[in-house]
Amino acid sequence: MKTWNLKTYLLLLASLFMLSACGGGSSSPKFGVGEDGGSSSGSTGGSTGGTGASGSSVVKIGTGTGSAFVLGALASTKTTLQSGSSTTLSFNVVDGNNAPVLNSYTARFSSTCLAAGSAQLSKNGAVVSQITTADGLGSVNYTPQGCSGTDTVTASLTVGDTILTATVALTIEVDQVLAVEFVSASKTQLSLRGIGGQETATVTFKLVGAQSAPIIGESVTFSLSTLEGGVSLAGGSTTGITDSQGLVSTVVQSGTTATTVKVFATHDATLIQGGSTDISISTGVAVDDRFSISMSSRQPAGAFNTDGIEVSLNVIAADQFGNSPPDGTQVRFVSTEAGKVDSACSLVNGRCSVKWLSSGPRPADLRVQVLAYMRGAETFVDVNGNSVYDGAEIGLHTDLGEPYADENESGAYDLGEFFVDIDLDGVYDATGDGEWNGPCMSGVNAAAICSSKEDTFIYRDIRIFMPTNDVNIVSLGTFPALGGSINVGGGTVSLTGLVFDDGNGNPWPTGTKYTWSSKETTSTNLRLNATSGEVKTIFPANSVAMPAMAISLTGNAANSTPATTEVKLEITMPDNTKYEYYFFVNYNKE
């Protein structure tokens, strides 16, 4: 038997004590979720309110730091606010010692009003749904937009497997209706009822309060500015309730009379009213005598020898009442002789434009015909004023032939010129079918005569010149030959009819400048009356000649000393080429 001495016994007790203190080789305990230190009994999953664990540190969400920290609370600069006004929501992320956590976390926000779209969050002017914390702090702006009552806002962030939350209850005061605002009309042009066009339009208004926020769930009544021709509101749309965006709509139905109507929306509780833009009710079919085309330059400088010189072709079209056809109505273009033109444009408020670009080949006369055409109606004389083509107007209408480009400027179609073959028979038809071609109006007035064709092609062809930078005298009129004398003495001489072109029978290019001047600068001896200026577009559309120039010279009858001076016409082309022409004037000098 082994004998234990005192030293051996003490060593054994010390070893057992050390083994017990180390826990049998297990690791040291960590901080637990839900505690500020020490305990290992906290939850590690699901929502825990304002506290969670990250690695070996406690993470909490609330407001404030240090001893002022309030767990699970979301701070707000104001807790009672009007719809449309804003408050700043903020929170702190702290550790177990209530000191800021420097790590960044993503926080998301939720509430009843946010989910319904009647409140909005923003940060630095941008709408957001979540934010990222910085140095243990997060903040966002909250703006109710039609929400009212109590809205509890929750900020949530995830730490490991734990969702931490902080909340605040906000009171949103009921807003007062301050305005009924017009928002939109799906159509501002409607066809007369019964002719087969667009006959209805949806008109939308918005109720807003003191902060321009929408007001939800309010009753609105609609009315019209006129009931002329049977214009009306669609059944079931005479009243409405504002939706989550404060919007409310009605539907307008056209009548049988050309007119303009406005929709009014009245808030039932306050009788505050708003009005729509005008809605035009008309045929919506462009007519021949209301189809017009113009251009930015009829004689563009440089087009005779430079490709890509641009001319804007501008169309205006209207129906028989002067109202616009529906937006999107197409106008087509062709330029068969030279240049490039856009194939079509779509009318917006009765207007549209295309670009023509100069390019080869260039005709010998440096002129190009451009044809514009669209579907429309022939013009008629409404002798009985009932706005429809009936028995009283038979024979009192234009009977349009097929559109063509008058390339040789003869004033009539000639074989080989471009034309639009409406009836696809391969032959140009110079006249129409003898009937009025336009929309059937029998649904508007039973007396209306309807053609077998409810439309035709209406058209215009215009001429673009490509003038050179040359000057040629077409006519001197009453002027003497260049360098000739004009005898004024003490009287007055008027000279007219001086006409120029570019040597090809074309007007000078746009931008050409011409100036008259006299070497005699004393007006009491000789007074020159003449117009100087700059060449603009020549009218009418297919005119060739430049406008004739005229001057007048007035001497002084009280003077008795004969003298001679020069009167000069200086012409400067767009490329800065200059031409000078002189006349000698005999007059009396002091």
Side-chain angles (χ1 to χ4, degrees), residues 218-237:
E218 293 292 309
S219 178
V220 173
T221 298
F222 300 100
S223 59
L224 298 174
S225 61
T226 180
L227 301 177
E228 185 179 4
V231 60
S232 62
L233 296 172
S237 71

Side-chain angles (χ1 to χ4, degrees), residues 82 142 169 175 193 201 212 237 247 308 317 402 410 417 424 497 499 546 549:
Q82 287 185 327
Y142 170 95
D175 206 352
R193 186 187 306 167
S212 296
S237 71
L247 301 176
E402 293 174 320
S410 68
E417 292 180 323
L424 302 178
V499 179
M546 291 283 299
M549 294 186 183

Side-chain angles (χ1 to χ4, degrees), residues 78 80 173 192 257 291 313 342 410 432 466 506-507 529 580:
K78 51 186 175 181
T80 299
E173 295 179 341
L192 294 173
T257 301
F291 184 45
L313 306 180
D342 298 330
S410 68
M466 295 184 285
N506 298 323
N529 291 316
E580 294 181 348

Side-chain angles (χ1 to χ4, degrees), residues 254-269:
S254 66
T256 58
T257 301
T259 188
T260 297
V261 64
K262 188 185 292 287
V263 181
F264 295 103
T266 303
H267 178 228
D268 291 345

Side-chain angles (χ1 to χ4, degrees), residues 31 35-37 58-60 65-67 69 94-101:
F31 290 117
E35 301 293 338
D36 288 348
V58 169
V59 176
K60 298 183 291 185
T65 58
S67 61
F69 178 75
V94 300
D95 61 17
N97 296 316
N98 294 341
V101 175

Side-chain angles (χ1 to χ4, degrees), residues 296-319:
S296 58
S297 174
R298 203 174 305 280
Q299 58 268 28
F304 77 100
N305 65 355
T306 304
D307 287 348
I309 301 299
E310 183 178 289
V311 175
S312 177
L313 306 180
N314 311 303
V315 166
I316 296 178
D319 66 14

Side-chain angles (χ1 to χ4, degrees), residues 426-589:
V427 177
Y428 176 74
D429 299 317
T431 58
D433 57 8
E435 299 180 340
W436 175 73
N437 299 144
C440 179
M441 306 283 279
S442 59
V444 175
N445 187 322
I449 297 175
C450 295
S451 168
S452 58
K453 293 169 56 180
E454 292 198 20
D455 65 12
T456 188
F457 279 112
I458 59 178
Y459 66 97
R460 295 288 182 271
D461 77 320
I462 56 173
R463 186 174 303 151
I464 297 177
F465 302 96
M466 295 184 285
T468 64
N469 293 314
D470 299 316
V471 172
N472 175 64
I473 297 177
V474 177
S475 172
L476 286 170
T478 61
F479 281 77
L482 296 179
S485 295
I486 303 170
N487 295 316
V488 175
T492 297
V493 174
S494 296
L495 303 170
T496 61
L498 180 59
V499 179
F500 293 90
D501 67 14
D502 73 336
N504 296 291
N506 298 323
W508 292 337
T510 299
T512 301
K513 297 177 182 178
Y514 54 95
T515 305
W516 289 93
S517 62
S518 171
K519 282 190 175 182
E520 174 57 72
T521 58
T522 304
S523 60
T524 55
N525 290 331
L526 181 67
R527 185 169 67 251
L528 169 65
N529 291 316
T531 300
S532 301
E534 182 176 332
V535 174
K536 304 294 184 181
T537 296
I538 303 302
F539 291 96
N542 288 336
S543 172
V544 174
M546 291 283 299
M549 294 186 183
I551 66 171
S552 69
L553 295 158
T554 302
N556 191 333
N559 298 338
S560 57
T561 303
T564 300
T565 191
E566 292 178 353
V567 169
K568 180 177 70 172
L569 171 62
E570 181 177 274
I571 302 164
T572 304
M573 292 293 170
D575 68 347
N576 288 321
T577 300
K578 294 184 183 296
Y579 300 87
E580 294 181 348
Y581 297 96
Y582 295 90
F583 298 95
F584 294 96
V585 180
N586 300 318
Y587 67 106
N588 292 336
K589 193 172 184 178

Side-chain angles (χ1 to χ4, degrees), residues 92-115:
N92 297 87
V93 180
V94 300
D95 61 17
N97 296 316
N98 294 341
V101 175
L102 301 183
N103 293 340
S104 295
Y105 292 95
T106 297
R108 295 172 175 81
F109 295 83
S110 61
S111 77
T112 301
C113 292
L114 289 172

